[in-house]
Amino acid sequence: MSTELFTGITVFVLALLVGFEVISKIPSTLHTPMMSGANAIHGVVIVGAILTATAADTPIGYLLAGIASAFAAANVVGGYLVTDRMLRMFRAPRPARTVEAKEPTK
């Protein structure tokens, strides 16, 4: 195993453990708002997918870069949709409209 691969695996495992520890400390009432906001902010993943696509030189590389871009875009769009839906829950209800019959004008 090369040093670069070992370093990459070590960073990945440490990030996984720290992320799990941070997320598990958040109360359940704040988990959904935090995650929807984080998904919306993760547009940087799209940038990473595009940068990966520029380095691709094989058909399989282009395919994987396209799949990564599609997943990243779905993540961002889903984050915005969940955030919007969640914020609509906190809006004041609109008063019901009543249809008034107009009197005929003479």
Side-chain angles (χ1 to χ4, degrees):
M1 183 170 5
S2 71
T3 306
E4 186 177 326
L5 179 62
F6 184 71
T7 303
I9 291 173
T10 302
V11 169
F12 177 74
V13 169
L14 288 175
L16 184 73
L17 293 173
V18 169
F20 179 77
E21 197 62 31
V22 168
I23 296 297
S24 66
K25 302 291 184 215
I26 294 175
S28 60
T29 55
L30 295 177
H31 190 266
T32 301
M34 185 209 57
M35 289 309 293
S36 66
N39 283 342
I41 292 170
H42 281 136
V44 71
V45 176
I46 294 177
V47 175
I50 292 170
L51 290 176
T52 302
T54 61
D57 56 355
T58 62
I60 197 87
Y62 289 122
L63 177 68
L64 290 175
I67 291 171
S69 299
F71 281 149
N75 188 25
V76 171
V77 170
Y80 279 118
L81 292 176
V82 169
T83 302
D84 183 58
R85 182 177 178 197
M86 184 184 55
L87 290 175
R88 276 190 273 140
M89 292 174 18
F90 295 104
R91 289 187 185 148
R94 294 182 183 176
R97 292 185 180 181
T98 58
V99 178
E100 297 178 14
K102 292 185 177 180
E103 294 182 24
T105 57
K106 294 182 183 180

